């Protein structure tokens, strides 16, 4: 077997020399006698190999046979054609011989039925190179190849605050352009104890009709028909954007609106200003907790029961971080452990409130009447038709009001001013 392998190595070298010689002389006629000589050597080696199958190296023999076949095919190709000059490479036969020696198959005592598997590296002519992710070209500048990405559907929208006042207001539908109600005013006389035979005490009051006009908050977006058609989900994203923008504008108006048409009448235009009252200049090292506790007392004294406190997140954080002179955190007895309830009233934090501002109230007395809920319509406006555009319009119609007799249910002020008013003076 070793002699056969040596012969195979010699034959391989001869064949490579022959082939390289013909590749360097493109267009020259192939030497038929030399080809015939190589073929004869192949046939001789084949006959020797076939007679050695009982040497328990059947796998190696199979590889050599494959080499013989490949070499025969290569010789046949050289007979009738010439090839352009190419880079030299190790033939399959040479690779088989090298692998047999590397695995030491000839010196290994193979058991009956056992075989050795030869793993031969692929010919460089048949594999251009290792495929890596860098082989995947993306379309466009600085883009990521589609095949290398897991695309998340939808659009990541700008982060915005959440509307909060419609959820806590006294909200109902309305079917007219105005909300109307009657309030009691100008009461005269008082009830009192009456002696026998004495005149009873007369009282009276006026009924005053009041109203608030429904207002409208709107926004629209123009978009091309091509964009709506080609960008999946664009209309849904636009609808969501319109809804968000309009509801946020509505939310801001419910707190800050001045009530002058077409503006809604907001809480801060109808509430009662904070007053330190009996607590003025009586509290040592006054802080935000003291302000809120006294604001709650002001509302309760007006015969209302507050249920929410509106604060900016910065003020909530400042309260949580309040410390005494010795560095310990302040936790008033009227504050819950998690800080979200002060004297039974829930704290809500939202950037819709101004920093340093507080609003405490009984929000069952804040009335919102919705004439037309949030709607989104699509149509043509102006020259949309000729410009191949569509207009997407969103709007909401509603009215908000606090009855004059309920103004005491809401107290607002600035922490800085209120703390100064409460601070004990020497």
């Amino acid at each position: 077997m070793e002699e056969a392998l040596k012969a195979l190595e010699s034959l391989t070298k001869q064949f490579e020399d022959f082939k390289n010689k013909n590749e360097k002389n493109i267009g020259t006629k192939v030497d038929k006698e030399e080809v015939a000589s190589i073929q004869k050597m192949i046939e001789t080696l084949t006959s020797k190999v076939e007679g050695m199958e009982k040497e328990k190296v059947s796998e190696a023999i199979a590889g050599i046979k494959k080499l013989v076949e490949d070499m025969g095919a290569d010789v046949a190709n050289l007979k009738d054609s010439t090839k352009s000059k190419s880079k030299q490479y190790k033939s399959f036969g040479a690779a088989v011989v090298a692998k047999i020696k590397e695995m030491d198959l000839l010196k290994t005592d193979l058991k009956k039925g056992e075989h050795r598997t030869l793993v031969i590296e692929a010919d460089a002519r048949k594999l251009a190179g290792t495929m890596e992710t860098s082989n995947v070209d993306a379309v466009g500048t600085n883009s990521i190849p589609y095949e290398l990405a897991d695309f998340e559907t939808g659009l990541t929208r700008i982060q915005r605050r959440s509307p909060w006042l419609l959820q806590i207001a006294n909200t109902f539908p309305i079917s007219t352009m105005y909300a109307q109600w009657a309030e009691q005013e100008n009461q005269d006389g008082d009830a009192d104890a009456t002696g026998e035979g004495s005149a009873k005490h007369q009282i009276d009051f006026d009924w005053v009709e009041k109203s608030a006009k429904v207002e409208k908050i709107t926004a629209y977006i123009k978009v091309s028909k091509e964009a709506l058609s080609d960008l999946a989900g664009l209309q849904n994203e636009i609808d969501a954007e319109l809804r968000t923008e309009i509801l946020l504008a509505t939310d801001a108006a419910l707190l800050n609106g001045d009530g002058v048409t077409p503006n809604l009448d907001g809480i801060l235009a109808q509430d009662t200003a904070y007053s330190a009252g009996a607590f003025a200049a009586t509290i040592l090292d006054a802080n935000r907790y003291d302000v809120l506790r006294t604001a709650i007392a002001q509302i309760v004294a007006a015969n209302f029961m507050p249920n929410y406190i509106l604060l900016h997140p910065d003020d909530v954080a400042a309260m949580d971080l309040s410390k005494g002179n010795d560095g310990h955190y302040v936790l008033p007895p009227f504050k819950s452990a998690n800080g979200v309830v002060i004297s039974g009233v829930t704290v809500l934090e939202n950037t819709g409130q101004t920093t340093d501002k507080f609003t405490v109230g009984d929000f069952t007395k804040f009335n919102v009447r919705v004439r037309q809920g949030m709607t989104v319509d699509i149509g043509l406006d102006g020259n949309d038709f000729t410009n191949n555009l569509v207009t997407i319009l969103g709007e909401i119609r509603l009215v908000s009001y606090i009855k004059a007799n309920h103004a005491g249910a809401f107290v607002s002020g600035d922490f800085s001013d209120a703390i100064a008013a409460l601070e004990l003076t020497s």
Side-chain angles (χ1 to χ4, degrees):
M1 182 64 178
E2 290 183 3
E3 293 179 359
L5 287 174
K6 289 180 180 179
L8 180 60
E9 284 184 316
S10 176
L11 175 59
T12 298
K13 186 176 184 307
Q14 292 181 46
F15 180 71
E16 291 296 326
D17 292 340
F18 165 75
K19 187 167 62 174
N20 289 334
K21 182 183 69 176
N22 282 278
E23 287 178 346
K24 292 176 182 178
N25 298 281
I26 299 175
T28 60
K29 187 176 181 181
V30 177
D31 190 332
K32 294 183 179 180
E33 292 183 359
E34 194 170 0
V35 171
S37 174
I38 292 175
Q39 283 183 312
K40 185 174 181 180
M41 293 174 68
I42 290 174
E43 292 171 359
T44 300
L45 181 59
T46 301
S47 63
K48 289 183 178 181
V49 170
E50 289 174 346
M52 300 176 71
E53 290 189 349
K54 295 181 180 181
E55 295 294 330
K56 301 179 181 180
V57 286
S58 57
E59 193 70 13
I61 292 172
I64 294 173
K65 285 184 176 181
K66 180 67 168 60
L67 166 67
V68 172
E69 294 174 0
D70 291 344
M71 290 181 66
D74 283 343
V75 170
N77 291 333
L78 284 172
K79 285 183 178 181
D80 302 311
S81 65
T82 60
K83 298 181 180 179
S84 63
K85 183 176 180 180
S86 61
K87 185 176 180 180
Q88 293 190 13
Y89 62 94
K90 181 183 286 187
S91 70
F92 185 81
V96 170
V97 173
K99 203 67 178 179
I100 289 176
K101 288 186 174 182
E102 177 185 327
M103 297 180 64
D104 205 16
L105 290 179
L106 299 179
K107 297 180 180 180
T108 303
D109 186 14
L110 299 177
K111 298 179 181 179
K112 185 176 181 180
E114 184 180 358
H115 69 277
R116 297 285 190 268
T117 300
L118 300 181
V119 180
I120 308 302
E121 294 295 333
D123 191 328
R125 298 171 303 171
K126 301 177 182 178
L127 183 62
T130 302
M131 285 296 296
E132 299 178 348
T133 56
S134 59
N135 292 101
V136 183
D137 291 331
V139 178
T141 304
N142 296 327
S143 58
I144 299 173
Y146 177 79
E147 290 295 335
L148 301 183
D150 184 4
F151 185 75
E152 181 179 330
T153 60
L155 179 68
T156 302
R157 301 170 62 229
I158 298 171
Q159 192 67 22
R160 295 179 173 87
R161 70 179 182 90
S162 299
W164 57 336
L165 297 182
L166 279 174
Q167 289 86 336
I168 62 175
N170 178 22
T171 305
F172 285 98
I174 189 175
S175 59
T176 57
M177 186 176 179
Y178 289 88
Q180 285 189 315
W181 66 95
E183 292 195 52
Q184 182 185 21
E185 291 184 5
N186 304 321
Q187 180 176 330
D188 296 317
D190 295 293
D192 202 353
T194 303
E196 183 178 357
S198 299
K200 297 178 176 56
H201 302 277
Q202 181 180 359
I203 62 173
D204 71 83
F205 53 86
D206 299 329
W207 288 61
V208 181
E209 290 187 355
K210 296 185 177 181
S211 65
K213 183 175 178 293
V214 170
E215 304 294 356
K216 180 168 56 179
I217 297 177
T218 67
Y220 70 87
I221 296 176
K222 286 185 178 292
V223 61
S224 69
K225 291 182 179 180
E226 290 88 348
L228 285 177
S229 175
D230 297 341
L231 297 177
L234 178 60
Q235 183 174 331
N236 290 335
E237 295 295 343
I238 291 174
D239 290 351
E241 183 69 12
L242 281 175
R243 293 175 188 274
T244 299
E245 284 293 322
I246 291 174
L247 289 178
L248 284 175
T250 301
D251 193 71
L254 291 176
L255 182 61
N256 301 298
D258 60 13
V260 178
T261 299
N263 300 324
L264 293 174
D265 207 0
I267 295 172
L268 299 182
Q270 306 175 73
D271 62 357
T272 301
Y274 170 80
S275 174
F279 301 101
T282 63
I283 300 177
L284 179 64
D285 296 326
N287 57 31
R288 290 175 174 81
Y289 291 112
D290 300 323
V291 171
L292 295 178
R293 183 63 188 87
T294 54
I296 291 171
Q298 181 179 344
I299 293 174
V300 175
N303 302 313
F304 299 99
M305 292 300 299
N307 54 0
Y308 292 108
I309 301 172
L310 308 183
L311 299 178
H312 189 279
D314 287 352
D315 290 306
V316 175
M319 291 166 62
D320 290 340
L321 297 175
S322 297
K323 294 181 181 180
N325 293 331
D326 59 356
H328 73 277
Y329 285 101
V330 175
L331 183 62
F334 52 84
K335 172 191 174 184
S336 64
N338 61 6
V340 298
V341 177
I342 297 177
S343 193
V345 183
T346 301
V347 175
L348 300 179
E349 55 181 311
N350 192 296
T351 54
Q353 178 67 289
T354 304
T355 305
D356 195 48
K357 193 81 174 180
F358 64 90
T359 299
V360 184
D362 176 0
F363 282 81
T364 64
K365 302 300 187 288
F366 179 46
N367 302 287
V368 176
R369 301 292 179 258
V370 180
R371 176 68 176 88
Q372 177 184 302
M374 182 66 210
T375 61
V376 176
D377 298 316
I378 299 179
L380 300 179
D381 179 33
N383 58 356
D384 283 356
F385 179 75
T386 55
N387 289 339
N388 207 34
L389 303 175
V390 295
T391 299
I392 303 177
L393 171 67
E395 66 178 51
I396 187 172
R397 296 182 66 201
L398 71 167
V399 58
S400 61
Y401 58 94
I402 298 172
K403 297 176 181 179
N405 286 339
H406 293 164
F410 298 88
V411 169
S412 297
D414 296 334
F415 276 118
S416 53
D417 294 336
I419 290 174
L422 293 175
E423 186 64 36
L424 177 65
T425 57
S426 56

